[in-house]
Structure formats: structure tokens, C-alpha cells
Amino acid sequence: MSEAREYKQIGKRPIRHDGFDKVTGRASYGADLSLPGMLWAKVLRSPHAHAAINSIDTSKAEALDGVMAVATSEDLPAISSEMMAAGEGAADVRDVARNCLAQGKALYHGHAVAAVAAISQTIVDEALQLIEVDYTELPPVMDGQFAMGENVAVLHDDLFTQGLEEQPAEPSNVAVKFVLQKGDVEKGFAEADEIVEREYYTPTVHQGYIEPHACTVRYDEQGQSMIWCSTQGHFDVRATTAKIMKMELTKIKVIASEVGGAFGAKTTVYQEPVALVLSKKSGRPVKMVMTREEVFIGSGPGSGTRNTVKIGAKKDGTITFRDVNVYLNNGGYTSWGATIPAVMMRTMTGHYRIPNVEFHSKAVYTNNPFAGSFRGYGNVQATYVTATLMDKMAENLGMNPIEFRLKNAQKPGERTPQNSLLKNAALADCIKIGAEKTDFLTKHAENTAARENPARIRKGIGIATSIHNAGGAKIHKSDGCGTILTMDDYGRATVITGASEIGQGMDIMHMRGPATFDFLRNSNLLDAVESLVGPEITCSPIQHVRAKPPSNFGHSSWSHGVPWHQ
């Protein structure tokens, strides 16, 4: 056995290299960049939740002194419906474009209708008031279940439900249908000694990040157009913007700023294509920054859901079946709503042994901002539903929540209803350790007994488990999570990566990562580990990283949305 060694980097907790800039206010965020000749831009938003747009007259705004460009959906290239990778899921490019600037209809209160770029923010605000939009108000459809009823207005006359074997004859408000079936639910129903059926509602919730969406764009018809923005997915911004603008991927370069909170929300494009249009029309750089109000009414929150779930079990606690029906509030367009059902399905049907299961879901168009990603999008809703349902079944069977879960927890070598092989499954161990560390059973028994004489202040303890997808490197053809590591003649390591630093400590891990490789076991080399993100940055020892910012903006976490071979 080798002797224990004291390393200089491994096993240590170094000071984060970006911490000083952040606590002193020197770090540059999305709204901090200023370029020579830069214009300010904002969008005019619909005051109606659902309305036909008969006409948009921008002539008065264009005539205002200081206004350099005005844009509507007519300035965006005509594109067809196409699903493309976006973050951990997928989005319809045409839907994203129509969300950036409304085409024909305003589908939610706050929907962007037109945009203005001018030499000052004051002039922009004045110009927006001069734009005349002729609306015909339509009945709003706010709830997913109501949207599927009879004699309800159809939001999209040209969109048909996806996920069916054959395209329906008529359009409807059901955007996507997703179904999973395994085993025989009727058989499981017959075998069950106890059946619990519940309906759960989870509201639409906004991510509430501190920093608003912000971007600065410079169009270049000869070379690469530049986009500086607050994003957790610069590859997504580049790919989506290129699709919407019908530009070659290599003609757009994206640099991600410091991110003041994202939580999944900053994987979606809202302003970048609009700013690019305005920059192209004006010939000058354009900055767009949402106000706090615009963030809430114009960017996508996490989906609201309605869930009807039925579960059966034998007297000994063995689960026999689970039947799930989910309705998701998809908002006015399809973005993350297309993939949220698949994420919910994993937790609602897997990681506990369920031999007979059916999962039916529908993502439904409503007159709300389209559903975005929010921290494990879909899994939070699914975990809340399944955890409370498991507790209720355990109570009905006279079992404690831990015992019931351990009885049904999947083990290594088993397969989920999606036929995923669980090579390593430590769910039972996690449950046991969690219960032990929290003294769960004692506290649960005390809290249960206290229900007989409820006090003014009540106490509770709960347990929840879930299973979630991972592996971001499989999402992008360009492999946005890829990393290249090289060594020079002096034993210094250089790390080139496409991953985004969004506060999770990615940069410091990139700098410390090479120290864990076998070929860096020499302690003299550990001091030389350095990080490089983008070709313009100067390296420094890990203890004193101070990077030269690319384009004089940002620090070493900034990465470039261009293929590494260019």
C-alpha cells in the first residue's frame, strides 16, 4: 500500500479566484458592457393576454429624432417549425422566434410586439409610445384543462398535436402528448389490497433570479457578429439565434458574461435575435436589458401542472401499479414544455419498483409566457406528487414512510419502466442514512401522535426521493461540455472548455481538475495548474488567477460559442 501523501491542491479548499471581483463589484455582468456608438433598445409589449394583431404602425416612432432602427416580426426571416436541442431539452425554433416578436397574434400579456433602438433610453421610451398597434381582443385561455374543452379558442391555427402516431385532422391546444406504458395496470389494480388516488396541483413559479436578462449585440456582415449576454448556455444562444436569423453558425460568436442567477431560466433566447436585427438595420451595436417587470411578464417560468395519480399496493407494502395523468401549462409557445413530461415520467414511474405503470401527459397551450426551465424542470413537480402519495399509501397500510420506501426501492441490476439498467443504485442506502442522520422515525412518530391534540405551532418531517437525467455532453453536436487539456514544456496545464460558469464553481474545478490526473502526481506540477477559457486569456498560477478579459470584458469564465477547430 502506498504511503499517504500531503498534496498542495488535492483535498484543499482554495479561495475562489472570481470571489474578489464579485464582492468588490468589479465583476462584469450582462448589463455592464458598453461599446462605442452603442444604442439602447427595448420592446413594446402587448397589454392583452390574447389578441389578433391587425396592424403595427411604426412610422411615428421611426420619424422621432434619435431613433435609429425599429423592428417587428416582419424583420425576422420566415422559418418553419423545427425542434432543436436547447439546454437539457428541446425547443421549436419557430415558436422561439414568434415569442421574440409576435407574429399575427399576441399570446400573453407582455408578449413582445415591436422593438426600438435609439441613442438614449429616454428616446426609446418615447418612441415606444408612438407605435400604434391595432388589436382585436380574443377570449383568453389561462388553464390547461380548460384549454382542452369544447368551444374554446384554439391559440395556433397551424399547429397540430405532436407525439401521436398520425397527425390530427384539426389543430388543438394540445401541443405535445407523451405516453409510457409498462406491464398491465388492470392486473396491478386487481392485485392491490389498498388503492390511493389523489389530485395534485403545482402552480407556475418564476425562477426569480436577481440579474435580469441582458445582451449587447454587434452585427458584422463581413465577419463574425458578436453577442455578449447573460446566459448559462452560450452554445444554445448561438445555435438558436443562427437558426432564427438564417445565418451560418460560424458567423455568430457568443461570449457569456458573469451570471447573476439563472436556475435554468437563462438557457432560452428572448432578446438576442431582436438586438441582432436592430444592430443590422442601424449599423451600430445594440444593448437590451429587461426591467424587473419585463422579466416576470416576458420570460418563461417553470410549468404549472395538474396531476391525477393512482397507486396500488399489497398488504405487505409491495406496490402493484401506478397510473398517472399530467396536464402541463405550456404557455403560448413550445419551449421546455415539450420535454418536461419526459422528465416527470422518470420520477413518477421509476426508482421504486413498479411492475405495472401507465403515464399519460399533455402539454397544453395557454395564454401565458411559454414554460421555461427551472431547477430540474419537471422533477420538482413530480417529486412533490410521488413523495406525498407514497406517504399516504404507507399510512393507509400501517407502515412507516421509511419501511414502505425500502420495501420498494430499486436495486442494482434492475431496470426502470423505461428499460434503463441501474448499474449503481444506492437508493435504499440513501434512505437509510438520511433517516438515521435526521432521527426520522422518532420525530415522525412524535409528530403523528401530536395530531391528536394539535397545538398552535405544528411540526413535521418528510422524505422525498427522485431520479434525474444527466450528461450534458450528449446534448450538443458541438459538445458544449467538452474539454481539451494540454501540457507545455514547463509542466503547465492549459484547460480549454465550453462549459459555463454560473456560480457553481466550474472555473475553480477546471483549474483543480488536472491536479487529480495520474500524470500530475508530481507535487511540483500541481502548483503550475492553470485555466484557459478562450484564446485571448493570459494564464496565471492557480493561487493567483487573474485573466486578461476577452474583448476587454469579463474574466476567465467567459467562453466562446465557436467550434474549437476554428
Side-chain angles (χ1 to χ4, degrees), residues 524-546:
N524 294 327
L525 296 182
L526 293 177
D527 289 334
V529 176
E530 297 173 351
S531 177
L532 175 65
V533 185
E536 299 113 318
I537 298 176
T538 300
C539 295
S540 302
I542 187 171
Q543 299 95 330
H544 307 286
V545 171
R546 286 294 181 268

Side-chain angles (χ1 to χ4, degrees), residues 337 356 383 510:
N356 307 293
T383 300
H510 284 151

Side-chain angles (χ1 to χ4, degrees), residues 100-119:
C100 289
L101 285 172
Q103 182 180 358
K105 278 185 178 182
L107 291 184
Y108 56 91
H109 176 265
H111 195 170
V113 174
V116 173
I119 59 176

Side-chain angles (χ1 to χ4, degrees), residues 61-256:
E62 294 177 72
L64 183 66
D65 188 31
V67 171
M68 306 302 292
V70 178
T72 67
S73 61
E74 293 183 358
D75 295 294
L76 294 176
I79 56 176
S80 58
S81 179
E82 176 187 351
M83 298 302 293
M84 65 175 293
E88 295 175 86
D92 189 307
V93 181
R94 185 172 63 178
D95 276 8
V96 176
R98 289 177 174 179
N99 186 65
C100 289
L101 285 172
Q103 182 180 358
K105 278 185 178 182
L107 291 184
Y108 56 91
H109 176 265
H111 195 170
V113 174
V116 173
I119 59 176
S120 73
Q121 297 184 67
T122 301
I123 295 176
V124 169
D125 291 335
E126 184 179 351
L128 290 176
Q129 296 179 24
L130 296 176
I131 297 176
E132 298 176 356
V133 184
D134 180 25
Y135 295 101
T136 297
E137 289 191 61
L138 301 171
V141 180
M142 309 306 293
D143 179 78
Q145 284 187 311
F146 174 76
M148 295 185 297
E150 296 182 0
N151 302 318
V152 176
V154 176
L155 273 60
H156 298 280
D157 297 331
D158 57 347
L159 296 183
F160 300 85
T161 303
Q162 299 179 26
L164 302 177
E165 293 183 2
E166 297 182 2
Q167 179 175 301
E170 300 290 336
S172 74
N173 287 327
V174 179
V176 180
K177 185 176 181 180
F178 185 89
V179 177
L180 173 78
Q181 295 176 303
K182 172 97 171 19
D184 186 346
V185 167
E186 293 299 326
K187 176 175 177 291
F189 186 92
E191 294 175 347
D193 296 311
E194 185 72 30
I195 294 173
V196 174
E197 182 175 5
R198 290 289 185 274
E199 183 172 343
Y200 299 90
Y201 166 72
T202 64
T204 297
V205 182
H206 198 277
Q207 299 84 353
Y209 35 86
I210 296 175
E211 179 200 25
H213 292 272
C215 69
T216 301
V217 174
R218 185 177 63 207
Y219 179 80
D220 188 342
E221 62 183 13
Q222 301 296 328
Q224 279 188 323
S225 295
M226 297 293 300
I227 299 176
W228 294 266
C229 60
S230 174
T231 177
Q232 62 189 93
H234 44 289
F235 282 93
D236 295 328
V237 173
R238 183 187 64 157
T240 306
T241 303
K243 285 282 188 181
I244 291 175
M245 298 297 295
K246 288 191 173 180
M247 295 174 63
E248 294 181 21
L249 204 61
T250 56
K251 293 295 184 180
I252 298 177
K253 184 176 182 179
V254 177
I255 299 178

